[in-house]
Each structure stands twice: as C-alpha cells, then as structure tokens.
Amino acid sequence: MIKKITSPATTEEILKLSAGDMVELSGILLTGRDAAHKRMVEYLYKGIPLPFDIKNQSIYYTGPCPAPPGRIIGSCGPTTSSRMDGYTPLLLDLGLKIMIGKGQRSPEVVEAIVRNQAVYLAAAGGAGALISGCIRSARQIAFPDLGCESIMELTVSDFPLICAIDSR
C-alpha cells in the first residue's frame, strides 16, 4: 500500500509513516546539497536569518541539471545523504521535517530525527530523469552563486519514495 503525503507535512502525517513504507509525496520541497547546507549553518552560527523558513519543510538532497528545451527541469536524482549529516541535527532542531536522499545516516542524525518527529525518505539512485517527471515547477530561492547547488523550491506530484528512517 502506498501512503500519500503532502509537503509541508504535518507531524500527524509523519507519525503514520513506518520504515519500509512506500510513499508518494506531493507539494513543496526545497533542494540542497553540501554547499547549501554549509552556507545555511554558517548563516545560523552568525545570527543571519535563512532566506526561507525551514520550519516544517522538506529538503531533497539534489543538484538538478539545467532544464532542456521544453522541460521544467533536467535530471534531478538524489545525492548521498551522509554528506549532510554534520549539518542536519541543527536543521532538524529548527523544524525541518522531511529529508530525501539516498544512503545511510549517522547515529546523530537518527537521534535528531526521532527527537524532532521527522522522517528520512529514500529516493531511487540513478532515476533522476524519471524523478524529474514528478516536478511541476522549479524556482531558485537562495544562494544563486552556488549554481546547481543553490536552493530551489520544487513543486512535486506523486514523487515515489521509501521511508528509510521513521520518527520512532
């Protein structure tokens, strides 16, 4: 059975997910990879507000390829999530609710997921072209100097995922 959730997700939706569940996610996601996470944490340590609200948000660990003619976005596959592990507990403590990527997470991230009633969803590696078909709109919202690693806001519909780490 596929569980359909909407982002931003409510805590109630997140608490219904269990590791191994198949999920279709629709709604708004932010993108962010290594450089964007580093910049976000630098801003926070310097007392500079983030240029977007992180509370209840979802972050997809991806650096989308430029859009070919007639497309909203290019290939948009997941990157290895563990590269964000050093930054993730702080973002979870600030209200981040959903992370999407591939691969394992550190014990510190798992602890922060449970503490904050969040969830880690896994996307299929190597399926960036397929995933891009779920994206209905894309716009850059922060850190344009980072190029493909800037933060974008994506609107997605029925993005296929698997719950890898649940809120428990």
Side-chain angles (χ1 to χ4, degrees):
M1 177 176 169
I2 296 173
K3 295 188 177 179
K4 292 185 175 276
I5 61 172
T6 302
S7 178
T10 64
T11 299
E12 292 76 27
E13 282 181 296
I14 289 170
L15 291 175
K16 290 178 185 176
L17 296 176
S18 296
D21 285 348
M22 293 172 46
V23 175
E24 284 184 350
L25 181 67
S26 297
I28 305 296
L29 307 176
L30 302 179
T31 67
R33 287 180 44 145
D34 317 47
H37 277 72
K38 180 179 180 197
R39 175 104 29 108
M40 285 188 282
V41 169
E42 286 172 350
Y43 270 38
L44 293 167
Y45 284 141
K46 291 178 182 176
I48 302 169
L50 295 177
F52 52 86
D53 188 4
I54 196 77
K55 189 166 178 60
N56 297 319
Q57 276 296 347
S58 302
I59 291 185
Y60 178 28
Y61 302 141
T62 188
C65 294
R71 300 287 310 268
I72 294 166
I73 202 164
S75 183
C76 196
T79 195
T80 303
S81 302
S82 62
R83 295 200 318 252
M84 274 54 74
D85 282 1
Y87 310 112
T88 300
L90 173 61
L91 297 176
L92 286 164
D93 289 344
L94 292 173
L96 177 65
K97 284 295 186 184
I98 297 174
M99 295 150 296
I100 302 165
K102 67 179 182 181
Q104 297 181 343
R105 305 309 303 264
S106 70
E108 294 79 16
V109 170
V110 174
E111 180 182 303
I113 287 170
V114 172
R115 178 175 66 243
N116 291 287
Q117 297 182 315
V119 69
Y120 172 55
L121 304 176
L130 178 66
I131 291 168
S132 71
C134 298
I135 299 170
R136 304 294 175 246
S137 68
R139 70 182 182 100
Q140 189 176 67
I141 64 166
F143 314 140
D145 60 303
L146 298 179
C148 73
E149 289 203 40
S150 67
I151 295 180
M152 297 184 71
E153 180 183 88
L154 306 179
T155 302
V156 300
S157 180
D158 299 327
F159 183 178
L161 301 159
I162 296 171
C163 182
I165 302 172
D166 62 35
S167 59
R168 294 170 300 288

